[in-house]
Amino acid sequence: MPSLSLRIQLDPEGRIGPGKIELLEQIAARGSISAAGRAMEMSYRRAWELVEELNTLFGKPVVERQTGGRNGGGARVTDLGQALIMRFREVEQAATAAASEHLAALQAEIDRPTDS
């Protein structure tokens, strides 16, 4: 079945999409940028670049690094980052719901036998 992939353009240079949102979700779940990157088969450097891009884009931290004690540091998704995840997922669900009839019609066209 056809599906939507949502990207939200926030300014001429910045956008958010499913990859960045998944990265935030993984950081929230794992407490670490490096662990989140590994879970997504992404290098730590790339994960950190995306986090920095988001922090810069919003002008305040979406993810904060935590200096560690015995077990080392980590990272946490801020309240802003949690709100970003929630809003993106809500927009994604609303867009999918609004497009569902059209997506089903596209699938019907795909499934229709060809005219001979």
Side-chain angles (χ1 to χ4, degrees), residues 4 16 24 29 64 76 79 81 87 93 98 101 103 110 113-114:
L4 290 179
I16 56 172
L24 292 178
E64 291 178 329
R76 74 169 198 86
D79 290 345
R87 295 287 180 205
Q93 288 173 353
E101 181 181 329
L103 295 174
I110 292 167
T114 57

Side-chain angles (χ1 to χ4, degrees), residues 3-8 87-103:
S3 63
L4 290 179
S5 178
L6 182 69
R7 299 209 185 288
I8 300 174
R87 295 287 180 205
F88 183 88
R89 293 300 185 202
E90 287 176 352
V91 169
E92 189 176 55
Q93 288 173 353
T96 299
S100 65
E101 181 181 329
H102 301 288
L103 295 174

Side-chain angles (χ1 to χ4, degrees), residues 7 16-51 54 63 77 85 88-89:
R7 299 209 185 288
I16 56 172
K20 288 177 184 166
I21 296 301
E22 182 184 353
L23 179 61
L24 292 178
E25 290 170 334
Q26 290 289 337
I27 292 168
R30 298 171 189 281
S32 162
I33 294 170
S34 60
R38 281 191 304 274
M40 295 178 67
E41 298 182 358
M42 178 187 302
S43 71
Y44 173 78
R45 181 171 187 239
R46 181 64 182 144
W48 181 248
E49 287 172 350
L50 292 173
V51 165
L54 286 168
V63 172
V77 177
I85 293 167
F88 183 88
R89 293 300 185 202

Side-chain angles (χ1 to χ4, degrees), residues 1 13 17-18 23 31 36-37 46 55 58 61 66 91 96 99-100 106 113:
M1 172 100 171
E13 299 298 318
L23 179 61
R46 181 64 182 144
N55 286 344
F58 285 91
Q66 297 176 311
V91 169
T96 299
S100 65
L106 281 172

